[in-house]
């Protein structure tokens, strides 16, 4: 069903939060990443209970490089996706676009999203100081209250930290202490997931699905509570569209 998402923001955030909890190990929450209203409706029609927008996918769809989407365009794209579906939507908002926590939370609320993914890479492309970032996340948490599901992305693997696993674990624990609902050590190797799971206790762990990687069930058994795709689904759709375009060009039937 399309249209304005039903329920209050706080109620839909509670629905999103509950979807992460008490899941069998082999059944993590799988959240596809729509980049526009059409893809969002397709994922909802397929039966997914919530969606997670990818900043990289939206950037490409809007004609920008990853990380170069103006904040106003990103919030507008998220709002269009939210309006298109009735399931909860969580939005990847990169590092928060330099907005103060209260303004960031207000912009998210205006978009209709009930969750947010925030990374610990700074505008200079380097990892932020973990304690300063944890303090900032705590301010976001305080401004949002329970009406926003906060996913804290940990970038030690993609930023090539000297000890990415140890640093990821330390950062994840700091961000959990700051009030994050979920932590996301993006691109963590499968073998690093069990110790993260053990250290985090019941806190949900977000894992990136990659082509040729473990199945969703196996990621769940390794410790994933939630599986997302970054821009992976857009990349696959773009490849399929390119194949269709070539077929049409060559006079093939649809």
């Amino acid at each position: 069903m399309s249209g304005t998402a039903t329920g209050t923001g706080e109620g839909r955030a509670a629905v999103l939060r509950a979807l992460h909890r008490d899941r069998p190990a082999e059944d993590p929450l799988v959240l596809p990443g729509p980049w526009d209203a059409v893809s969002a409706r397709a994922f909802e029609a397929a039966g997914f209970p919530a969606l997670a927008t990818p900043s990289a996918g939206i950037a490409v769809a809007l004609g920008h490089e990853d990380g170069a989407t103006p904040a106003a365009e990103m919030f507008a794209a998220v709002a269009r996706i939210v309006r298109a579906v009735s399931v909860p939507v969580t939005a990847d908002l990169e590092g928060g676009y330099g907005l103060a926590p209260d303004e960031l939370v207000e912009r998210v609320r205006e978009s209709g999203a009930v969750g947010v993914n925030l990374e610990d890479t700074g505008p200079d492309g380097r990892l932020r100081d973990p304690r300063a970032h944890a303090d900032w996340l705590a301010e976001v948490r305080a401004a949002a209250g329970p009406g926003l599901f906060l996913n804290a992305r940990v970038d030690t693997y993609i930023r090539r930290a000297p000890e990415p696993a140890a640093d990821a674990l330390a950062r994840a624990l700091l961000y959990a202490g700051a009030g994050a609902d979920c932590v996301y050590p993006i691109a963590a190797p499968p073998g690093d997931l069990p110790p993260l799971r053990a250290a985090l206790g019941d806190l949900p762990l977000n894992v990136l699905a990659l082509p040729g990687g473990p199945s969703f069930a196996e990621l769940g058994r390794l410790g994933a509570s939630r599986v997302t795709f970054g821009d992976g689904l857009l990349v696959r759709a773009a490849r399929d569209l390119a194949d269709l375009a070539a077929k049409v060009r060559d006079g093939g039937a649809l």
Side-chain angles (χ1 to χ4, degrees), residues 169 172-173 176 182-183 185 193-206:
L169 178 56
L173 292 173
C182 184
V183 293
L193 299 180
L196 280 163
R197 171 77 283 144
L200 291 170
D202 293 334
L203 192 77
L205 176 64
N206 192 147

Side-chain angles (χ1 to χ4, degrees), residues 174-247:
L174 276 173
Y175 303 162
D181 293 290
C182 184
V183 293
Y184 178 19
I186 187 170
D192 287 358
L193 299 180
L196 280 163
R197 171 77 283 144
L200 291 170
D202 293 334
L203 192 77
L205 176 64
N206 192 147
V207 174
L208 177 68
L210 294 172
S215 68
F216 303 151
E218 181 58 22
L219 288 174
R221 286 189 286 268
L222 289 169
S225 315
R226 157 173 157 166
V227 177
T228 54
F229 300 85
D231 64 348
L233 298 177
L234 170 62
V235 170
R236 171 63 183 271
R239 186 165 62 244
D240 291 345
L241 181 59
D243 291 342
L244 175 61
K247 186 175 181 180

Side-chain angles (χ1 to χ4, degrees), residues 18-24:
L19 287 169
H20 292 74
R21 299 287 184 181
D22 301 321
R23 305 187 67 90

Side-chain angles (χ1 to χ4, degrees), residues 73-156:
E73 290 191 42
M74 184 63 74
F75 282 111
V78 170
R80 287 191 293 271
I81 288 169
V82 171
R83 288 197 303 268
V85 297
S86 61
V87 296
V89 174
T90 178
D92 180 357
L93 297 178
E94 304 178 282
Y97 305 111
L99 299 172
D102 55 349
E103 183 179 358
L104 175 62
V105 169
E106 182 59 28
R107 297 284 292 275
V108 174
R109 286 177 175 153
E110 289 173 352
S111 77
V114 294
V116 65
N117 181 71
L118 296 170
E119 64 190 44
D120 60 1
T121 294
D124 60 357
R126 298 185 180 187
L127 286 166
R128 290 177 164 136
D129 175 81
R131 294 191 180 278
H133 188 63
D135 289 343
W136 181 75
L137 289 174
E139 292 182 51
V140 174
R141 172 85 285 157
L148 191 69
F149 186 94
L150 177 56
N151 190 37
R153 201 179 90 178
V154 179
D155 288 359
T156 60

